[in-house]
Amino acid sequence: MLSAVERKIEQFIDDLNDKEVSGLYTKLPHGKRLRAKLILKIAGSSLAAVKTAAIVEMIHAASLLHDDVIDDAYTRRSKPSLNALYGNKTAIMLGDILYSKGFLELNNISAEVAKIISNAVVQLSLGELKDVSLSKTFNLDKEIYLKMIYQKTASLMEASAGAAALLAGKDKTSYMTYGRNLGIAFQMIDDLLDITADAATLGKPALHDFVEGKTTLPYIYLYEVLDASGQNKLKSLHAKVLLKEEQKWILEQMRMHQIIEKSFFEARELIEEAIEVMTHHGEEALTSIAMQMIDRKF
Ligand code: FPP
Ligand code: MG
């Protein structure tokens, strides 16, 4: 089923009739195509579902191209990022081409599907801007963090599930809840992996988020349990290149206070809730995609 989506994306790119863009596209690692899987599992593999899945994956790829420029990330999925290979200008423009072609194709699906997806892309962009502005502060507000990851990551999964439900004539609201929970859990785990996985697995240096100024859920929880001197120390290390012993101190504090377990538990609860909603709709097949969100390498 997924190969039909890959072929559709290639066809959309071929339509552009531009050798440079076709060549650049081959340099993009594909990733897990989670959003496409979600759409096909909910809507089946009708032409409209395959096209919607291809469009969503193109928009997602565009957002990551821009995100790597914004984050100064030189690796993506353990390979050199496009900005590392060809510079920021090329990465930004390929992103613009992918998402505008995606929007052009979205017009051919249905007005309702176009609305749900384009609204999510607005949210995605608002979320990314919030991520950037929050990283200039030492944010300790969990609600603000949750809203930002909802916008940045969960909105497109929520919309993917909602659009797929619309295509299949299913109840949009429950599927959107499922997609939203999956998206929030996915980003929580992504943020955890930044702390737990080693540089080789992650394709970027560990604790990169904190160095970049991002106080993700584990840092918010850690701050809550530290004493005043620990809190001051954590704050003093925020948004700085960390020495080996400073990295070690953070990891040790996280271990002592079982912060990773606490954060993981929260992601797992969201996944369990998502599975419950779908089981209620007789959609047991959607359990395995939900499990994939939390079943990632630690
Ligand atoms: C990854 O976050 C970033 C996103 C999921 C969204 C990025 C959105 C934009 C750049 C808005 C622009 C949108 C378009 C369509 C061009 P992360 O940095 O936490 O995750 P990472 O570890 O995968 O880099
Ligand atoms: Mg990033």
Side-chain angles (χ1 to χ4, degrees):
M1 280 209 301
L2 266 187
S3 61
V5 176
E6 299 302 343
R7 282 201 304 275
K8 188 51 74 185
I9 300 176
E10 283 159 19
Q11 188 194 324
F12 286 159
I13 306 274
D14 282 351
D15 287 351
L16 302 171
N17 208 9
D18 188 297
K19 281 209 176 69
E20 185 181 1
V21 173
S22 297
L24 287 171
Y25 178 73
T26 64
K27 301 285 180 208
L28 286 184
H30 285 182
K32 296 174 285 295
R33 300 288 197 217
L34 281 172
R35 293 151 192 82
K37 280 187 196 160
L38 199 66
I39 292 170
L40 299 185
K41 270 262 185 303
I42 296 171
S45 44
S46 67
L47 182 58
V50 169
K51 280 186 177 176
T52 306
I55 291 165
V56 167
E57 288 294 344
M58 285 165 76
I59 293 172
H60 175 59
S63 76
L64 294 183
L65 281 166
H66 286 190
D67 180 67
D68 284 343
V69 172
I70 293 166
D71 287 348
D72 292 319
Y74 298 109
T75 52
R76 168 70 53 191
R77 301 188 176 109
S78 302
K79 296 216 173 85
S81 58
L82 210 93
N83 47 309
L85 290 172
Y86 302 103
N88 287 348
K89 293 178 188 178
T90 302
I92 290 171
M93 287 320 302
L94 183 64
D96 288 346
I97 292 162
L98 289 179
Y99 88 75
S100 39
K101 174 65 174 165
F103 273 111
L104 183 64
E105 293 300 330
L106 201 52
N107 286 311
N108 301 325
I109 312 290
S110 80
E112 255 189 310
V113 168
K115 193 171 169 188
I116 204 166
I117 301 291
S118 42
N119 175 52
V121 181
V122 175
Q123 294 304 315
L124 192 77
S125 309
L126 289 170
E128 182 80 352
L129 180 64
K130 182 64 88 203
D131 197 17
V132 170
S133 54
L134 281 177
S135 68
K136 293 181 187 135
T137 71
F138 187 62
N139 176 55
L140 295 170
D141 189 326
K142 184 179 158 190
E143 291 312 311
I144 291 178
Y145 163 80
L146 287 177
K147 182 172 177 200
M148 182 274 289
I149 66 170
Y150 160 68
Q151 290 183 302
K152 179 178 79 164
T153 306
S155 59
L156 192 57
M157 291 205 198
E158 177 187 55
S160 300
L166 277 174
L167 290 172
K170 294 177 177 175
D171 166 40
K172 189 176 76 173
T173 317
S174 322
Y175 287 83
M176 287 179 83
T177 304
Y178 168 81
R180 180 168 61 247
N181 279 22
L182 259 55
I184 297 173
F186 180 87
Q187 189 61 48
M188 281 178 171
I189 300 290
D190 208 59
D191 294 346
L192 273 179
L193 287 171
D194 187 77
I195 296 163
T196 59
D198 61 26
T201 316
L202 219 51
K204 62 184 173 187
L207 307 191
H208 186 255
D209 284 345
F210 196 61
V211 172
E212 288 282 297
K214 299 181 185 186
T215 47
T216 55
L217 191 61
Y219 297 96
I220 296 174
Y221 281 157
L222 180 60
Y223 190 85
E224 278 172 10
V225 295
L226 287 173
D227 61 17
S229 89
Q231 288 182 338
N232 284 337
K233 180 160 181 176
L234 187 64
K235 198 169 176 187
S236 75
L237 299 178
H238 173 247
K240 294 213 176 82
V241 175
L242 299 169
L243 300 172
K244 267 268 163 308
E245 54 266 36
E246 292 168 337
Q247 272 201 13
K248 250 179 88 181
W249 180 81
I250 293 177
L251 292 172
E252 182 62 12
Q253 294 301 316
M254 295 256 183
R255 196 188 57 74
M256 268 167 54
H257 296 284
Q258 301 193 313
I259 298 298
I260 301 303
E261 292 80 353
K262 187 175 170 181
S263 311
F264 182 73
F265 181 77
E266 194 142 339
R268 209 180 57 199
E269 272 194 330
L270 287 166
I271 292 302
E272 280 165 6
E273 194 184 298
I275 292 174
E276 208 177 297
V277 175
M278 284 301 111
T279 310
H280 185 72
H281 280 76
E283 292 268 27
E284 279 79 9
L286 290 177
T287 302
S288 64
I289 298 193
M291 291 308 293
Q292 278 181 43
M293 299 290 157
I294 48 172
D295 193 15
R296 291 159 73 197
K297 208 166 176 194
F298 275 89

